Amino acid sequence: MELATRYDPREIESRWYGEWEEKGLFAPDLGRHGAPFSIVIPPPNVTGILHMGHGLNNTFQDLVIRWRRMQGRPALWLPGTDHAGIATQNVVEKMLRKEEKKSRHDLGREAFVARIWQWKEHHGGIIIRQLRRLGSSCDWCRERFTMDAGLSKAVEEVFLRLHEKGLVYRGKYLIHWCPRCQTALSDEESIPAETDGNLWFIRYPLADGKGHITVATTRPETMLGDTAVAVNPGDPRYRALVGKRAVLPFLGRELPIVADDAVEFGESCPECGERYQTGTGKCPRDGRDLDPEFGTGALKVTPAHDPADFEIGKRHDLPAVDIFHPDARVNENGGEFAGLDRFEARKRIVSRLEEMGLLEKTVEHRHSIPRCQRCETVIEPRLSTQWNVRMKPLAERAIQAHHAGEVVFHPERWGNYYLRWMEGIRDWCISRQLWWGHRIPAWYCTFCDAAHMERTADGSVRFGEAAAPVVSRGKPTTCPKCRGAELVQDEDVLDTWFSSWLWPFSTMGWPEKTPDLETFYPTNVLVTAPDIIFFWVARMIMAGYEFTGKRPFSDVFITSMVCDEDGCKMSKSRGNVIDPLAMIEKYSADALRFSLVILTSEGQDTRISEQKIEQGRNFCTKLWNAARLLLGNLQGLASKEGGGGSSPPPEQDRPDSSRLEDRWILSLLGNAIRTVDRSLANFRFNEALQALYELFWSNFCDWWLEIAKPRMRGDEGEAARQTALAMGALVLDRVLRLLHPFVPFITEEIWQRLKEKTGRGPEDLEYLMSSPYPGPESAPAADPEAEAAANLVFEVVREIRNVRAKYKIEPRREVSVSIVTTGAEVPGLTCGALAALRKESGIVRRMAGAGKLALEDGTPRPARSAAVVAGGVQIYVELGDVIDLEKEVARLQKSLDEKTRHLGGVERKLQDPSFAGKAPAQVIERERLRAKTLQAELEALRRELAEIK
């Protein structure tokens, strides 16, 4: 079967993916003898759709798993999705409002949760189907969901074990609270947004009637919950006030004035750097007026509604007054403002302060306000009774793992980032006021805890901090205190991350000792984004050591951020989002994968545009066309000479050829195999692909195929034809194997056609994706002599082509060329430059269009000829009537200047004591030889200038 004239990726990608999956090729082959290798997918939200970040992340994961699979290792890429508590609940709530004009409370908890499960079954697999389009070779038979029965069992087991160790506790905790979703939010669900607002300066009268103290705030409504005023102990303006009391307007509550180092004191003059006191607005050195600075140096302390104030409150044993209902209306603690929405209360408070003469001033102020990731409601810090995990005891082993090199981050700097967070870790609030999620396995006795029980506005039953919950595997039958049977389960569910942090081992059957857990845990690599190092990666490391005694993975590869071509983060508001599915539809999955990898350097943002994705499409087209050219000549080639077998042939089975181009391409193939192996092992994926791009496009296509065309046509006899075709088939086979993890679909299609053409029998492996990957042990040996000779020949051809292009000489028109040596030694050649060129004069003649080629030292420069220097030889191209003398002089002078600068750089390097003392001897010798070559070339250029001027 011949390759089609044009590559149709849509048909080929769909066909091959379906066949691979049907044949079970994505499952680990436990019959292989290599060490097991495993990756667990970062589970996308069940509500999610594929974006370019997913595309990059999953391309890298698929690349790694395909590579390891082809190395002969039983390789598992375990997929799954996250139940995404608040995101999924919001989606279904919106659907209910839109389609049925109902709320979740109209349905009730049980019916609403059942409705979410229905939604999940119908709509929850979208992103999984999209990952298939990308080519992700996950073992879909093992697909997991964070709320399936096995994972739910693991979640309950972990909660109970932590509770038994005293690491789970219930208590007051300051949280991010969404008044619309009415739940606690994690840090990553609280998105800061720059907002134009105001800074209000408010006077709090002193209790002794002797003046006032001014505080500044962006949230004047929270003053209703103030329980102190804090100042820096080093601030001389307030030293005499510490220990006194201020009076809270409206409520009359007396507030102690306390000293605390958390209050910032002093700023720096932007001109001279001198420190000055906050509030003075004068430089202490020269009295220069400074811009109004933030704040007054006195801080209103609201422990129940600000994280920093909460910590100050704990240090000074201050009461925490909660002033809001769950929907952010002011509660009974707000005095005359009770019942008002928080923003309406803000307006009323500011107006009343102005009437009372207590509003000193208002300053426009742009600041960051956190909003709910899902509904964009302004978040309210709120003190609430929540379930928490003490994290410091868990962090100790995970910190040791980093120091011991048990878990390694790539790039390395992310390890330091991880370590800084771990060393300052705080307790984790794990409860969420949602209905969708893992319900907390805790029950309350309606008799013993009756005094602490209240029914909320939504009808749910909640228990205060003083209640004594019973934590149990399954619902207890009786209360352990009173033996009563009226037990009510805690209404809250666990944070989504509480199931996700168990993902590497819960997906393999833990807490049971399953075969998968025994074989594939610990996993090998985690590929993920930097924004969840704290929320997910660090917690997985802690959970792995705590519950299995083992690291969850040995390497963490942190992907870059995908940006537009200007370096801006992609977002809908900017209008710069590129839909990966649209790019797959237009250009192919292989094209997208190729572009994402080649554009991503380690540690650098990935800048992508549709035009850059065309680069991937162009590469696939080049691969297709080159394969068509070779395959069109391959019919009947003996199978032992082909490359389509089940394993790379040993050295002695390669085509025997003394031709320079064959020796050269084999040497470069070996170099590429070693580079790719080293780069992939070090997670330098773009370096590996760049090496293959250069091998295939710049070397195999641009040079070897063009040189070998006459042989493949049979112009030099059948034996030469067979050797050329066998060599081409071998190199194409290796290139397809090497490229397969990067561009799996097109390589499989071409490889199948190559296998047919080379006559491989049914005993060979059926698919490229399960064939052996070329490794250093089977790579052709380096041939420096062939590389040096070929580089000389190709440089000469390039220079002659450049002359032809410069003077617009028609392609069919032959030119006369004379070549003499410059006296310089060519690095790597054991024979002289002219001797090497004489041996390969046929290549020079045909590739450069040189009808007449003179290769003799002492040959005088022909009249009216262009002169170029390349690889230690002087080339004269006779131009006849096309030469322009003035332009030729200018060109030679430019070349002289460039080589002079280059020589200067080499000589400075050789004269540098640090280079001479540290560089290996062969490197120093190479630089000396380069300087010698440049000097000879410069001398030749000077002679040429002298001759034509």
Side-chain angles (χ1 to χ4, degrees):
M1 181 178 176
E2 302 293 337
L3 286 180
T5 304
R6 296 190 64 181
Y7 177 49
D8 179 9
R10 188 178 304 178
E11 186 275 330
I12 288 172
E13 291 180 354
S14 174
R15 171 162 49 83
W16 279 120
Y17 196 90
E19 189 164 337
W20 289 332
E21 188 171 6
E22 182 184 344
K23 296 288 186 179
L25 300 185
F26 299 158
D29 183 353
L30 297 176
R32 296 190 171 196
H33 300 299
F37 184 90
S38 59
I39 301 175
V40 289
I41 197 171
N45 286 354
V46 71
T47 58
I49 58 172
L50 194 73
H51 56 64
M52 202 58 83
H54 290 132
L56 179 70
N57 186 297
N58 285 278
T59 293
F60 284 147
Q61 291 181 79
D62 191 52
L63 190 166
V64 170
I65 207 71
R66 286 179 183 271
W67 171 51
R68 294 301 191 182
R69 187 184 290 130
M70 292 179 74
Q71 284 187 321
R73 301 177 68 171
L76 169 64
W77 183 12
L78 197 153
T81 50
D82 191 291
H83 67 278
I86 190 170
T88 307
Q89 180 162 314
N90 277 346
V91 166
V92 178
E93 281 192 273
K94 288 177 182 177
M95 183 184 70
L96 273 176
R97 285 196 301 270
K98 182 179 179 180
E99 297 179 1
E100 303 179 31
K101 304 293 188 283
K102 292 181 179 179
S103 72
R104 61 186 167 107
H105 303 293
D106 294 327
L107 269 67
R109 182 168 192 149
E110 186 175 341
F112 178 72
V113 170
R115 188 68 63 90
I116 296 179
W117 277 108
Q118 291 173 11
W119 178 92
K120 186 260 180 187
E121 294 305 315
H122 286 92
H123 306 286
I126 292 175
I127 196 166
I128 295 300
R129 293 191 292 274
Q130 293 171 335
L131 288 173
R132 283 178 157 93
R133 287 291 308 277
L134 186 66
S136 301
S137 58
C138 301
D139 183 2
W140 300 109
C141 295
R142 285 177 164 88
E143 183 181 346
R144 304 305 300 268
F145 179 55
T146 50
M147 281 187 63
D148 67 26
L151 272 69
S152 295
K153 180 180 180 181
V155 167
E156 181 183 72
E157 182 65 26
V158 163
F159 185 93
L160 267 69
R161 289 191 188 187
L162 291 175
H163 186 266
E164 288 165 1
K165 292 183 70 172
L167 296 180
V168 163
Y169 67 96
R170 189 169 178 268
K172 290 286 187 181
Y173 198 84
L174 198 70
I175 56 170
H176 302 295
W177 180 264
C178 176
R180 196 213 70 83
C181 300
Q182 295 205 12
T183 182
L185 301 178
S186 61
D187 288 345
E188 76 281 2
E189 292 167 330
S190 171
I191 309 300
E194 286 296 312
T195 307
D196 291 321
N198 291 310
L199 190 62
W200 287 275
F201 290 72
I202 304 170
R203 292 172 177 168
Y204 283 14
L206 297 177
D208 60 7
K210 298 179 180 179
H212 64 269
I213 186 168
T214 301
V215 298
T217 181
T218 59
R219 301 159 63 215
E221 66 278 11
T222 62
M223 67 183 291
L224 302 174
D226 285 0
T227 55
V229 174
V231 298
N232 188 284
D235 192 334
R237 293 171 298 164
Y238 301 119
R239 198 167 289 149
L241 295 181
V242 174
K244 293 188 175 184
R245 306 178 83 80
V247 178
L248 180 65
F250 309 123
L251 298 177
R253 184 161 58 238
E254 289 195 0
L255 311 176
I257 300 174
V258 300
D260 197 285
D261 289 324
V263 183
E264 293 184 5
F265 166 57
E267 306 290 343
S268 295
C269 172
E271 298 295 330
C272 67
E274 283 286 333
R275 299 289 290 179
Y276 63 91
Q277 292 176 6
T278 301
T280 62
K282 296 285 185 182
C283 174
R285 177 173 292 182
D286 57 17
R288 182 192 305 111
D289 286 330
L290 301 171
D291 290 337
E293 69 295 328
F294 185 86
T296 65
L299 179 74
K300 58 184 287 299
V301 181
T302 320
H305 296 288
D306 183 274
D309 295 2
F310 180 69
E311 297 300 324
I312 292 174
K314 287 198 295 184
R315 286 193 290 273
H316 296 275
D317 197 24
L318 300 174
V321 179
D322 184 357
I323 64 166
F324 291 125
H325 289 298
D327 61 359
R329 288 178 301 110
V330 178
N331 64 21
E332 65 280 2
N333 292 325
E336 63 185 90
F337 304 102
L340 294 178
D341 173 76
R342 55 182 165 165
F343 298 123
E344 179 60 29
R346 177 182 296 179
K347 293 178 185 177
R348 297 272 189 95
I349 287 170
V350 169
S351 177
R352 291 276 285 114
L353 287 170
E354 202 165 14
E355 292 172 4
M356 298 164 67
L358 297 178
L359 184 64
E360 188 170 293
K361 62 179 177 178
T362 303
V363 176
E364 290 184 355
H365 176 59
R366 185 169 178 80
H367 60 295
S368 182
I369 294 180
R371 292 180 178 271
C372 175
Q373 184 185 43
R374 302 300 169 186
C375 67
E376 298 187 357
T377 301
V378 173
I379 285 170
E380 197 64 50
R382 185 175 184 229
L383 194 62
S384 175
T385 300
Q386 302 287 340
W387 290 90
N388 308 279
V389 178
R390 292 185 175 89
M391 299 302 288
K392 282 194 175 181
L394 300 176
E396 292 172 1
R397 182 66 183 88
I399 291 172
Q400 292 173 11
H402 174 75
H403 288 307
E406 295 174 15
V407 178
V408 180
F409 284 79
H410 310 269
E412 187 179 350
R413 72 172 188 274
W414 292 114
N416 297 327
Y417 189 65
Y418 157 86
L419 192 60
R420 285 197 300 272
W421 186 76
M422 292 292 283
E423 289 174 341
I425 198 168
R426 296 184 299 174
D427 288 358
W428 175 16
C429 173
I430 58 171
S431 49
R432 296 291 181 269
Q433 289 66 52
L434 301 170
W435 287 357
W436 174 243
H438 296 97
R439 198 149 173 196
I440 291 175
W443 284 261
Y444 302 88
C445 176
T446 57
F447 178 77
C448 297
D449 293 322
H452 314 298
M453 182 173 64
E454 64 177 30
R455 191 168 293 276
T456 62
D458 65 5
S460 60
V461 176
R462 297 201 173 274
F463 292 83
E465 184 181 8
V470 178
V471 175
S472 170
R473 289 177 176 83
K475 182 179 180 179
T477 56
T478 59
C479 171
K481 292 182 180 178
C482 70
R483 299 301 175 186
E486 294 296 322
L487 295 164
V488 178
Q489 188 172 1
D490 197 299
E491 294 276 351
D492 289 352
V493 299
L494 289 162
D495 180 10
T496 295
W497 296 106
F498 196 86
S499 53
S500 299
W501 77 321
L502 315 178
W503 187 253
F505 53 88
S506 64
T507 51
M508 296 187 191
W510 186 94
E512 306 301 327
K513 292 184 177 180
T514 65
D516 273 2
L517 193 67
E518 293 292 323
T519 303
F520 294 109
Y521 186 84
T523 67
N524 296 84
V525 180
L526 176 75
V527 180
T528 191
D531 55 345
I532 54 175
I533 289 176
F534 302 154
F535 308 115
W536 190 47
V537 180
R539 288 171 180 163
M540 282 193 291
I541 296 172
M542 288 185 275
Y545 282 112
E546 175 66 19
F547 302 112
T548 73
K550 301 175 182 178
R551 62 189 179 187
F553 30 71
S554 55
D555 293 275
V556 182
F557 178 73
I558 302 297
T559 60
S560 61
M561 183 170 71
V562 181
C563 304
D564 65 16
E565 56 187 338
D566 297 320
C568 296
K569 184 178 180 179
M570 289 188 177
S571 67
K572 290 181 180 178
S573 61
R574 288 194 179 100
N576 62 352
V577 173
I578 298 176
D579 179 2
L581 291 171
M583 295 300 97
I584 290 173
E585 194 69 23
K586 187 171 183 179
Y587 297 110
S588 80
D590 283 334
L592 178 62
R593 291 166 64 113
F594 178 95
S595 300
L596 286 170
V597 175
I598 204 104
L599 292 170
T600 304
S601 299
E602 186 185 44
Q604 303 296 318
D605 289 343
T606 302
R607 297 191 176 195
I608 197 162
S609 64
E610 184 168 348
Q611 186 177 9
K612 289 180 178 178
I613 296 172
E614 290 177 4
Q615 180 183 1
R617 188 268 314 275
N618 294 343
F619 180 82
C620 290
T621 300
K622 186 76 170 181
L623 181 60
W624 187 262
N625 290 340
R628 284 190 68 245
L629 172 66
L630 186 61
L631 293 176
N633 291 280
L634 274 181
Q635 193 65 43
L637 181 68
S639 64
K640 69 176 182 179
E641 295 172 331
S646 63
S647 61
E651 188 88 25
Q652 63 269 21
D653 287 345
R654 295 196 183 101
D656 183 17
S657 176
S658 59
R659 298 290 290 255
L660 174 65
E661 64 268 28
D662 294 346
R663 292 170 53 211
W664 167 75
I665 198 64
L666 278 179
S667 183
L668 294 191
L669 174 62
N671 294 343
I673 289 171
R674 287 181 284 273
T675 297
V676 168
D677 183 79
R678 182 172 58 252
S679 298
L680 292 181
N682 289 294
F683 302 94
R684 298 182 179 274
F685 304 121
N686 77 311
E687 288 183 8
L689 186 53
Q690 189 64 48
L692 294 177
Y693 178 91
E694 292 175 7
L695 170 69
F696 172 73
W697 192 310
S698 304
N699 298 312
F700 183 67
C701 292
D702 287 357
W703 290 105
W704 189 89
L705 272 179
E706 292 302 315
I707 295 169
K709 277 180 182 178
R711 283 197 292 155
M712 290 193 297
R713 289 194 302 261
D715 293 359
E716 300 178 29
E718 183 58 24
R721 175 179 174 273
Q722 285 286 325
T723 300
L725 292 177
M727 185 63 67
L730 182 145
V731 175
L732 179 60
D733 171 79
R734 298 307 177 273
V735 167
L736 293 173
R737 293 176 192 258
L738 290 164
L739 282 171
H740 179 77
F742 302 90
V743 285
F745 297 107
I746 191 171
T747 51
E748 184 74 75
E749 178 72 11
I750 295 172
W751 190 80
Q752 294 292 337
R753 304 290 83 77
L754 176 64
K755 189 156 67 83
E756 291 173 5
K757 290 286 187 177
T758 53
R760 286 287 174 176
E763 71 279 0
D764 295 306
L765 288 178
E766 197 172 351
Y767 297 96
L768 174 60
M769 73 164 287
S770 53
S771 297
Y773 199 77
E777 69 286 345
S778 65
D783 190 340
E785 177 77 17
E787 289 185 42
N791 289 340
L792 172 63
V793 170
F794 300 157
E795 190 173 352
V796 167
V797 171
R798 271 193 295 267
E799 291 298 337
I800 297 172
R801 286 176 172 177
N802 289 341
V803 171
R804 295 179 66 99
K806 178 180 178 182
Y807 291 101
K808 297 181 174 59
I809 301 172
E810 295 177 1
R812 294 181 179 275
R813 184 175 178 181
E814 293 185 336
V815 294
S816 296
V817 178
S818 300
I819 301 178
V820 299
T821 60
T822 60
E825 183 181 343
V826 179
L829 278 183
T830 57
C831 62
L834 285 185
L837 290 170
R838 287 191 194 100
K839 188 174 181 181
E840 306 301 333
S841 59
I843 296 177
V844 177
R845 284 192 175 92
R846 190 167 66 82
M847 300 295 286
K852 179 182 176 183
L853 180 62
L855 293 156
E856 295 293 337
D857 265 338
T859 301
R861 176 178 180 175
R864 301 174 65 78
S865 62
V868 288
V869 175
V873 297
Q874 178 79 62
I875 306 167
Y876 301 122
V877 181
E878 296 183 30
L879 299 172
D881 296 331
V882 300
I883 190 170
D884 184 320
L885 188 60
E886 291 183 1
K887 286 184 178 179
E888 182 65 10
V889 170
R891 188 193 63 78
L892 288 171
Q893 185 61 55
K894 181 181 178 181
S895 181
L896 181 69
D897 294 342
E898 289 176 351
K899 290 184 183 293
T900 299
R901 286 195 296 273
H902 189 188
L903 176 61
V906 175
E907 289 177 337
R908 284 192 295 275
K909 183 187 288 187
L910 289 169
Q911 292 166 7
D912 185 349
S914 63
F915 175 76
K918 296 179 181 179
Q922 64 268 29
V923 174
I924 296 173
E925 182 58 33
R926 186 174 67 235
E927 292 300 310
R928 285 175 179 160
L929 187 57
R930 185 176 296 169
K932 189 176 179 182
T933 300
L934 286 167
Q935 289 165 351
E937 290 176 350
L938 282 169
E939 186 58 35
L941 284 169
R942 292 188 187 101
R943 287 197 303 269
E944 292 310 309
L945 274 172
E947 288 177 5
I948 65 173
K949 281 185 177 179

